Amino acid sequence: MVTYYDDGTIRIRSMIPEDAKILYDTYFSYGWHPSVDTYEKYYKEQEDGKRFVFIAEYDGRVSGQCTLVLNPIEGPWGNQGYPEIEDLTVFFDVHNKGIGNRLLDAVEKEASKVSDKVYLAVGVHSGYGPAQRMYVKRGYNFDGSGVWYKGKQLEQYAPCINDDDLLLYLAKDV
């Protein structure tokens, strides 16, 4: 296990197998529809060197996570050698404690070791409002490719649903 950050209250570390069930159980308790397979896959990809998985602990308890995909294939920068930040989540009971920013600090530091740019996608519905504001404050800029839906660039006037698959891409120099 690698520790990326630790100030005695917030700790950012690599994933261990037991984290998959904690993430799944917490997201399920929110009424979301997670799959434990997703988090088990994250761990396997971490071990295979394809993805970094950053687990946030707050006062010793798992409280969020974020991943960094080293060779993403989707989005406006897919297959161009820029890593992508995916799946940043901070548990609801510990919002506004700096955990999201500490996660991004660790992710951006690792991204800077392999590239001069990192990108991410953020949802456009109101549930993503705090993340949208945080990314802009941290210097992420919209790439100008417009809205993406279900992994594809959405053409003007194309129908879509304002769900978790309706995204805007942003990038930052690291």
Side-chain angles (χ1 to χ4, degrees), residues 17-174:
E18 295 79 15
D19 294 329
K21 181 153 176 34
I22 295 168
L23 295 169
Y24 169 82
D25 288 345
T26 302
Y27 299 151
F28 187 80
S29 77
Y30 297 158
W32 297 355
H33 305 285
S35 167
V36 74
D37 294 343
T38 297
Y39 309 109
E40 290 171 347
K41 177 183 165 205
Y42 284 179
Y43 178 75
K44 181 178 181 345
E45 289 179 353
Q46 172 187 268
E47 297 304 294
D48 291 343
K50 296 177 181 174
R51 177 188 302 260
F52 283 89
V53 184
F54 301 85
I55 299 294
E57 293 179 356
Y58 187 80
D59 285 337
R61 183 176 64 84
V62 172
S63 298
Q65 58 98 31
C66 187
T67 77
L68 180 69
V69 179
L70 297 177
N71 295 302
I73 58 173
E74 293 185 355
W77 294 290
N79 292 313
Q80 294 186 35
Y82 300 118
E84 181 181 7
I85 297 170
E86 291 184 0
D87 208 5
L88 170 65
T89 311
V90 175
F91 294 175
F92 294 166
D93 65 316
V94 290
H95 275 189
N96 300 310
K97 306 231 184 260
I99 297 167
N101 276 307
R102 295 300 75 77
L103 276 164
L104 284 173
D105 288 344
V107 172
E108 290 169 3
K109 183 177 179 182
E110 291 305 312
S112 73
K113 294 176 182 177
V114 298
S115 177
D116 61 352
K117 183 185 300 276
V118 66
Y119 73 100
L120 55 82
V122 65
V124 300
H125 68 69
S126 62
Y128 290 99
Q132 294 164 357
R133 288 190 305 275
M134 180 175 61
Y135 296 143
V136 170
K137 285 179 184 177
R138 290 184 64 94
Y140 286 84
N141 292 305
F142 296 100
D143 77 308
S145 67
V147 179
W148 289 64
Y149 189 61
K150 297 197 178 281
K152 296 182 179 166
Q153 195 172 18
L154 198 61
E155 294 189 20
Q156 189 172 2
Y157 303 113
C160 63
I161 297 172
N162 192 10
D163 60 15
D164 291 339
D165 292 320
L166 189 62
L167 308 171
L168 286 169
Y169 280 89
L170 299 94
K172 178 180 179 178
D173 293 332
V174 290

